[in-house]
Amino acid sequence: MADNLVTHDEALAQVRKRVLAGGAERYHAANAAKGKLFARERIALLVDDGSFVEDGLYANSMADGLPADGVITGIARVDGREVCLMANDSTVKAGSWGARTVEKIIRIIERAVQYGVPMIYLVDSAGARITDQVDLFPGRRGAGKIFHTQVKASGAIPQACALFGPSAAGGAYIPAFCDIVAMVDGNASMYLGSDRMVEMVTGEKTTLEAMGGARVHCAESGVGHFLCKTEQDALDTVRGYLSYLPSNWEQAPPVTEAKASPGTDLGALVPESERQAFDMRRYIKGLVDAGSFFEIQALWAKELTIGFARLNGEVVGVVGNNSMFKGGVLFPDSADKASRFVQLCDAFNVPLLFLCDVPGFMVGSAVEKQGIIRHGAKMITAISEATVPKICVVVRKAYGAGLYAMAGPSFDPEATIALPTAKIAVMGAEAAVNAVYANKIAAITDEAERAAFVAARRAEYEQDIDIMRLASELVVDTVVEPGDLRDELIRRYRAARGKERFFARRRHGVTPV
């Protein structure tokens, strides 16, 4: 009997050793040559030491060359907090999916939802194994169930993806359904069809990098959120992202030790002339706790800056117009960027801070053809539906529907705060005078007389929209000096902690997508 037990133990140890090793050595070497880590090394770098408990280790262990069926799943801790995770093993058939792979991924997402903990995806996969398509593709627990389960999890638990290699074909949707995607420059890619398939179907000659590389998705398509230099950077980004969010939608965001602001002179950052650009990112960093600003999608739709920060140790989501890029005008992409971020914050109980310096939405035939109206409506819908505490700060200008898109007075903010530099109007003085008096201006032949007439009309317009007049009419709730803004925000967010959150009695709205 003892000999028998030893034999079984040895057999199990041999299988375990083979499974933990992943694919053949040549695949490990090929990955290392590209600067890619083994999937188990990625997990070890991400999670707290000794905390990983693996599920499904022996999936397909009886088959030759399919250790764990190419995906590692389990539970662990990240910075002391429970998470669930999956990691594609690209040394096993390029991380492709088989039937067991799919089942393991579905199970771990379901478990994350059941436990109410974040779900982390470490993706490096060539997509489905076409040779196994009947087993993995069409059934009730087939690959489509992964996406169905991700959608059910969306807004219930944080879902974060670090993308280290390809995420091909249907597999590209795993990152797309996540809250954020951190992509490793030079190795990560997302695409629905390979370059060879694209050429065969459309005749276009391209490359995976040009079509779906990390830079393309982080700077042009908006599917990627962070462009990372190394795999460690991507893992750190996921860890940093989770540090601002609760484990699930029923909890409050984590509070950290309060830190002072950097002591920046906020008033000095805002130029007197609204024609002169300034960097809203510097303004945000000068307002919030030192070192706490965590910008998201920094390379895409840069006319709008979004990200998490802390005020007195408490998390806020910041949406700010950045006149350094395209004058801070809202375009279809920036409207989408804001919509998604506002929904993210609202899902996970993160109060919203809008820093407004917006000329309005872009006009012209190009953006009309791109659907600027429906994209703008989408942004306004997201802001209307958000029930977390919202504060709108008019830093400089809020013109036209830009005021609405930045949670102005009509959108139930806890407060609309104006700085002394603030202007709220349908449009700027120059555009307004031209719109109203264009014919009269054209009829004045004397140049000096024309200039005097225009100056007088502009002065009248400026007086009409004077910020103190708007404060007296209760359009804005208060006017504060830049040096007092931080304390004002801290007090108002503190008072709004117990806000009753209800928007409408219904299943859901019809988003203008």
Side-chain angles (χ1 to χ4, degrees), residues 140-152:
R140 290 180 180 272
R141 298 284 287 187
K145 192 67 175 180
I146 296 175
F147 313 136
H148 181 269
T149 311
Q150 280 188 281
V151 172
K152 286 181 70 175

Side-chain angles (χ1 to χ4, degrees), residues 261-271 276-295 302 304-306 309 318 320-325 353 355 357 395 482 485-486:
S261 70
T264 305
D265 183 352
L266 295 178
L269 292 181
V270 183
Q276 186 176 343
F278 74 98
D279 195 338
M280 187 60 80
R281 294 169 298 189
R282 289 186 63 199
Y283 197 92
I284 295 167
K285 290 175 183 177
L287 176 65
V288 302
D289 292 5
S292 73
F293 183 48
F294 184 81
E295 187 173 4
K302 293 189 283 188
L304 192 82
T305 297
I306 61 171
V318 185
N321 311 110
N322 197 333
S323 59
M324 291 291 291
F325 305 97
L353 171 62
L355 297 174
D357 180 27
V395 176
L485 178 59
R486 175 182 163 87

Side-chain angles (χ1 to χ4, degrees), residues 303-304 330-340 361 372 375-376 378-379:
E303 64 273 16
L304 192 82
L330 291 165
F331 283 78
D333 281 350
S334 43
D336 278 359
K337 180 177 178 178
S339 302
R340 195 171 188 278
F361 285 92
I372 185 68
H375 288 285
K378 191 190 309 181
M379 180 176 178

Side-chain angles (χ1 to χ4, degrees), residues 20 45 52 56 58 109 113 128 139 150 164 172 230 281 296 333 345 407 424 428 452-453 458 464 475 513:
L20 291 174
L45 288 172
F52 182 55
Y58 299 108
I109 303 170
V113 174
Q150 280 188 281
F164 304 102
T230 67
R281 294 169 298 189
I296 297 173
D333 281 350
C345 290
I424 299 174
F453 177 82
R458 286 184 184 175
D464 190 50
V475 173
V513 296

Side-chain angles (χ1 to χ4, degrees), residues 124-453:
D124 188 356
S125 170
R129 293 176 208 147
I130 296 176
T131 53
D132 298 348
Q133 64 174 314
V134 173
D135 293 329
L136 72 91
F137 175 68
R140 290 180 180 272
R141 298 284 287 187
K145 192 67 175 180
I146 296 175
F147 313 136
H148 181 269
T149 311
Q150 280 188 281
V151 172
K152 286 181 70 175
S154 179
I157 57 170
Q159 297 186 86
C161 173
L163 185 52
F164 304 102
S167 186
Y173 286 104
I174 279 188
F177 286 119
C178 290
D179 304 337
I180 57 105
V181 185
M183 301 182 72
V184 179
D185 193 14
N187 280 336
S189 60
M190 282 185 275
Y191 50 88
L192 297 183
S194 69
D195 47 355
R196 287 180 299 174
M197 180 183 292
V198 168
E199 183 175 359
M200 180 180 70
V201 173
T202 70
E204 178 190 1
K205 291 187 177 181
T206 185
T207 64
L208 295 182
E209 186 65 23
M211 178 175 60
R215 289 185 178 273
V216 169
H217 285 305
C218 290
E220 297 181 53
S221 77
V223 181
H225 298 75
F226 302 93
L227 183 67
C228 302
K229 292 182 179 180
T230 67
E231 296 200 356
Q232 183 66 68
D233 290 340
L235 295 168
D236 290 344
T237 297
V238 168
R239 185 183 292 109
Y241 172 76
L242 293 177
S243 73
Y244 289 89
L245 292 177
S247 291
N248 59 65
W249 70 282
E250 295 180 299
Q251 298 177 0
V255 178
T256 62
E257 183 180 352
K259 293 183 180 179
S261 70
T264 305
D265 183 352
L266 295 178
L269 292 181
V270 183
E272 287 188 18
S273 170
E274 66 180 62
R275 289 178 170 275
Q276 186 176 343
F278 74 98
D279 195 338
M280 187 60 80
R281 294 169 298 189
R282 289 186 63 199
Y283 197 92
I284 295 167
K285 290 175 183 177
L287 176 65
V288 302
D289 292 5
S292 73
F293 183 48
F294 184 81
E295 187 173 4
I296 297 173
Q297 290 182 310
L299 301 179
W300 182 61
K302 293 189 283 188
E303 64 273 16
L304 192 82
T305 297
I306 61 171
F308 297 126
R310 290 188 173 89
L311 276 171
N312 202 39
E314 302 206 5
V315 180
V316 293
V318 185
V319 180
N321 311 110
N322 197 333
S323 59
M324 291 291 291
F325 305 97
K326 300 180 181 179
V329 177
L330 291 165
F331 283 78
D333 281 350
S334 43
D336 278 359
K337 180 177 178 178
S339 302
R340 195 171 188 278
F341 182 68
V342 167
Q343 289 179 330
L344 172 68
C345 290
D346 193 53
F348 294 114
N349 312 312
V350 176
L352 282 158
L353 171 62
F354 296 85
L355 297 174
C356 191
D357 180 27
V358 60
F361 285 92
M362 189 59 185
V363 297
S365 60
V367 290
E368 293 295 357
K369 291 173 183 177
Q370 293 166 10
I372 185 68
I373 295 171
R374 63 183 172 85
H375 288 285
K378 191 190 309 181
M379 180 176 178
I380 290 171
T381 296
I383 287 163
S384 299
E385 293 178 338
T387 58
V388 288
K390 298 176 291 203
I391 295 178
C392 171
V393 177
V394 184
V395 176
R396 188 162 60 169
K397 59 186 177 295
Y399 292 158
L403 173 66
Y404 303 159
M406 295 297 288
S410 301
F411 292 82
D412 290 338
E414 302 345 286
T416 301
I417 298 172
L419 299 183
T421 47
K423 295 179 181 180
I424 299 174
V426 172
M427 61 184 72
E430 182 178 352
V433 169
N434 185 65
V436 175
Y437 298 105
N439 292 336
K440 193 164 186 177
I441 292 170
I444 301 174
T445 56
D446 182 77
E447 187 174 334
E449 183 184 350
R450 186 191 312 121
F453 177 82

